[in-house]
Amino acid sequence: MATITLIDDDENIVASIAMTLQAHGHTVNHFHDGVSGLEGVEANPPDLVILDVKMPRMDGMEVLRRLRQHSEIPVIMLTSKDEEIDEVLGFNLGADDYMHKPFSQRLLVERVKAVLRRARPEGETTPADPAGAAGSKVMKRGKLTLDPARHDSLWDGKPVRLTVTEFLLLQALAQRPGFVKSRDNLMDAAYDDQVYVDDRTIDSHIKRMRKKFRQVDPEFDSIETLYGVGYRYREA
């Protein structure tokens, strides 16, 4: 079971979500504004953050932006807004999933399970699971090194901090250098069946990932876009 930090200014929603998650065995720490929530996450990093967008003192987008400056803890964003720009901005800032209010508690539990499963190092699978054992092997592709068991990503020996979703997308691309992965292929690699995202979500993650690698190597160009087709990894 996991430790989850819930940040939302609606006390009724907080009480409802906390009760549901605790009933499923999770430990829940909750905060009612962005400032105290960010401080709480930084003081005691959880396994997952559930973060509302619209809050007093500091909104969820700013909390996420500051959190992503030094941490890749998985984040599920909550919003009562309908504007698509909020969702796109959230993914651009590094959110791992997004839910629109109102939502069912059952759906939230499934989303939490999905994100935690994706965040769990491959090495934590049982020895009887050969697929898990294979997935835990260190992958080397040119200057890139990926270690799923440690969630480590290195470029030319230098660490590049990736979110869970970014790591899974890069792993899927790097498994077969030179081969094109459609956006649908990448969605399947990074998200469970019950999570539905559109093409722009994948594009946002790829854009953010490229930016991170270019901070380490300004010449980084190993993730290629094939317009109208998808993406592929080119060994450096």
Side-chain angles (χ1 to χ4, degrees), residues 73-93:
I73 295 171
V75 174
I76 297 176
M77 301 291 292
L78 305 179
T79 182
S80 56
K81 297 181 178 180
D82 296 324
E83 293 90 342
E84 291 182 351
I85 187 64
D86 291 325
E87 186 167 344
V88 173
L89 178 57
F91 282 125
N92 280 335
L93 290 173

Side-chain angles (χ1 to χ4, degrees), residues 30-200:
H30 51 82
F31 301 89
H32 294 289
D33 65 83
V35 172
S36 62
L38 180 61
E39 291 173 348
V41 170
E42 292 176 337
N44 296 290
D47 298 303
L48 171 68
V49 174
I50 299 177
L51 176 62
D52 188 31
V53 171
K54 190 176 181 180
M55 292 185 296
R57 300 183 68 193
M58 183 187 297
D59 67 26
M61 294 299 182
E62 180 63 15
V63 172
L64 178 61
R65 187 188 69 79
R66 296 192 186 193
L67 183 62
R68 284 292 178 252
Q69 291 176 353
H70 56 79
S71 172
E72 303 306 330
I73 295 171
V75 174
I76 297 176
M77 301 291 292
L78 305 179
T79 182
S80 56
K81 297 181 178 180
D82 296 324
E83 293 90 342
E84 291 182 351
I85 187 64
D86 291 325
E87 186 167 344
V88 173
L89 178 57
F91 282 125
N92 280 335
L93 290 173
D96 292 280
D97 202 353
Y98 221 97
M99 295 189 66
H100 294 282
K101 299 177 183 177
F103 50 80
S104 72
Q105 297 297 312
R106 180 178 178 181
L107 177 59
L108 175 65
V109 169
E110 290 302 316
R111 292 291 185 92
V112 167
K113 286 168 58 177
V115 172
L116 289 173
R117 185 161 50 245
R118 288 156 49 203
R120 186 179 302 119
E122 296 285 349
E124 290 185 12
T125 54
T126 62
D129 181 2
S136 67
K137 293 180 180 179
V138 175
M139 180 190 300
K140 294 183 181 293
R141 299 288 187 268
K143 295 182 180 180
L144 176 68
T145 301
L146 292 177
D147 185 346
R150 294 180 174 82
H151 192 76
D152 284 343
S153 173
L154 303 176
W155 183 259
D156 201 16
K158 300 174 183 177
V160 180
R161 198 170 59 226
L162 301 177
T163 65
V164 172
T165 305
E166 291 164 356
F167 191 96
L168 291 173
L169 290 173
L170 181 57
Q171 186 179 35
L173 286 169
Q175 281 174 347
R176 301 186 71 190
F179 285 80
V180 179
K181 289 275 190 180
S182 70
R183 290 173 176 81
D184 286 342
N185 294 149
L186 293 173
M187 289 177 197
D188 291 341
Y191 292 93
D192 281 22
D193 291 341
Q194 66 266 37
V195 179
Y196 299 96
V197 297
D198 61 23
D199 290 354
R200 288 168 298 179

